[in-house]
Amino acid sequence: MYKKIIEEIKANLGENKDLNSKYLSAQIEKYSDHPYNKEIIREISRMMWDCLSDEEKEEFIEISEKENPIMDILNEVSQFIEVGDYEKALDKLDSFMKSFPGMFEDDEVSEYHSFTSPLEEILFRTYIGAEKEVRLIPDNVPLLDLYYIYGFLLFEKNRYEQAEESLKKAKKINPVSARIILELCEIYKIRTPSFNKFYIYTTEALRYSYYPQDLARCYRNLGYYYIEENKLDIAAALFKYSMNFELSIMAYNELHYIESKGQSINLSKEEVDELIESSNIQIGVNPFIITTLYELAEEYEQR
């Protein structure tokens, strides 16, 4: 039904952009009460954008950049985060989110995503895939950062249920963001009776990680999990391996704890690799990421 309506509207468009714009405005009114009104009006709005001249589009973009409440609140909040005043930052965001109507929410025909790089979009399409038509959220609407930062601040104030809700909204926008998944791991480390969810989300983050800090954090998480499972040899291997990506006092402390329990931490590189592989844990960056980066680099070089 939706596609038939859109095809019919498109078929009635002509060469005159002014007439097209008036016709499309009338169609918005016509379908305002339709069961698919949200989806139809969004598509008509895209058609109306095409009716604008280049000058009108530029003017609209300039106005949008000046009037950007999400960007404004994030800039304001970041100042408090930088000085460690999380309480003030959270107060600001709490107030903003109470009146925030939500934007770019999925409908019956489209799903909205935002990726920080072409690599992430390829990861999404390869490992997750889209159920509907994918539409990208404009770069000047940082919804992903809004939900991520809000979730982070809520977690810092022990408001775990709200933090999980906000971070899941961020994950829906970018399901392959390791930083978002790892932030959710911190909640599941605290709020679940077992560590199964913590483990599952950590291995998911590891699949998508390519920043050294994210990789190190994944291996530290897994090390913590195996301490809880009382598999101290594997835990020691994971903490040692994490330091290939980031030297961390946390990893040193955990290794000293493991040693205090009578487990040797003097492992060779071969022993570390063997212990990790024996636990069916990915070693290093996902090979698919490396392959994809080579392909992207080659493609850009040819261009």
Side-chain angles (χ1 to χ4, degrees):
M1 181 187 294
Y2 162 81
K3 286 186 177 179
K4 187 176 179 182
I5 291 169
I6 296 302
E7 286 171 4
E8 183 181 334
I9 292 172
K10 287 181 177 178
N12 289 324
L13 296 174
E15 296 297 323
N16 190 309
K17 289 188 175 183
D18 289 337
L19 290 177
N20 286 346
S21 184
K22 289 175 183 177
Y23 167 71
L24 292 171
S25 295
Q27 295 304 297
I28 287 177
E29 186 71 26
K30 176 181 176 180
Y31 290 105
S32 60
D33 295 324
H34 192 277
Y36 278 76
N37 68 327
K38 182 166 66 173
E39 293 79 7
I40 292 169
I41 290 170
R42 278 178 173 172
E43 191 59 41
I44 291 174
S45 298
R46 294 182 190 111
M47 294 182 215
M48 292 184 76
W49 174 260
D50 293 333
C51 293
L52 298 176
S53 66
D54 290 341
E55 292 77 13
E56 288 171 326
K57 287 178 181 178
E58 286 179 15
E59 184 180 352
F60 181 84
I61 291 169
E62 285 178 9
I63 293 170
S64 299
E65 288 175 348
K66 289 177 182 176
E67 299 176 5
N68 193 327
I70 298 177
M71 195 73 79
D72 291 344
I73 189 65
L74 289 178
N75 286 336
E76 186 177 356
V77 163
S78 66
Q79 297 175 22
F80 296 109
I81 293 175
E82 284 173 8
V83 297
D85 193 346
Y86 293 168
E87 189 167 346
K88 187 71 172 178
L90 183 56
D91 285 344
K92 292 283 183 183
L93 267 182
D94 271 336
S95 179
F96 178 82
M97 296 304 281
K98 283 177 185 175
S99 59
F100 182 59
M103 300 171 68
F104 295 100
E105 295 174 349
D106 292 0
D107 53 43
E108 295 297 325
V109 298
S110 304
E111 54 185 80
Y112 292 84
H113 297 287
S114 177
F115 305 105
T116 62
S117 67
L119 171 63
E120 286 190 347
E121 187 168 356
I122 293 169
L123 286 170
F124 167 74
R125 294 187 184 277
T126 301
Y127 286 100
I128 296 172
E131 297 178 1
K132 306 170 188 175
E133 184 177 357
V134 172
R135 297 196 180 276
L136 296 179
I137 298 170
D139 292 338
N140 67 337
V141 185
L143 269 183
L144 184 70
D145 291 333
L146 177 68
Y147 289 126
Y148 171 74
I149 291 170
Y150 190 43
F152 165 77
L153 291 170
L154 288 165
F155 175 81
E156 290 297 314
K157 289 299 176 182
N158 302 329
R159 291 162 58 180
Y160 301 125
E161 190 171 337
Q162 291 172 285
E164 182 182 10
E165 181 183 351
S166 187
L167 289 168
K168 279 188 170 181
K169 287 180 180 178
K171 188 176 184 292
K172 196 170 190 302
I173 293 172
N174 186 349
V176 298
S177 171
R179 66 170 180 158
I180 293 168
I181 300 170
L182 285 168
E183 206 62 41
L184 279 164
C185 287
E186 295 303 310
I187 296 173
Y188 301 137
K189 185 178 179 180
I190 296 169
R191 294 193 72 237
T192 50
S194 73
F195 288 97
N196 290 341
K197 205 168 186 179
F198 172 74
Y199 176 85
I200 290 168
Y201 270 68
T202 296
T203 54
E204 183 184 5
L206 181 57
R207 184 188 304 136
Y208 306 134
S209 292
Y210 50 91
Y211 286 109
Q213 298 90 335
D214 291 340
L215 287 159
R217 191 172 172 187
C218 287
Y219 288 112
R220 289 198 299 268
N221 276 7
L222 291 169
Y224 180 85
Y225 171 81
Y226 279 101
I227 285 177
E228 294 298 316
E229 292 291 300
N230 201 32
K231 295 179 179 179
L232 299 183
D233 54 343
I234 301 172
L238 287 160
F239 281 115
K240 291 203 78 166
Y241 191 72
S242 76
M243 290 193 284
N244 287 320
F245 303 101
E246 182 181 47
L247 296 177
S248 165
I249 189 65
M250 185 185 302
Y252 280 114
N253 289 341
E254 294 295 347
L255 283 168
H256 285 309
Y257 170 78
I258 291 169
E259 191 174 36
S260 73
K261 294 294 181 179
Q263 173 66 47
S264 172
I265 61 172
N266 294 318
L267 301 170
S268 67
K269 179 185 181 301
E270 291 73 23
E271 288 172 323
V272 166
D273 289 354
E274 185 179 340
L275 282 164
I276 295 174
E277 284 180 339
S278 70
S279 304
N280 296 315
I281 295 169
Q282 172 187 305
I283 291 188
V285 181
N286 181 350
F288 177 79
I289 289 177
I290 301 296
T291 302
T292 303
L293 285 174
Y294 273 117
E295 290 172 353
L296 287 171
E298 186 177 351
E299 179 185 339
Y300 292 145
E301 187 175 5
Q302 289 173 357
R303 289 184 185 182

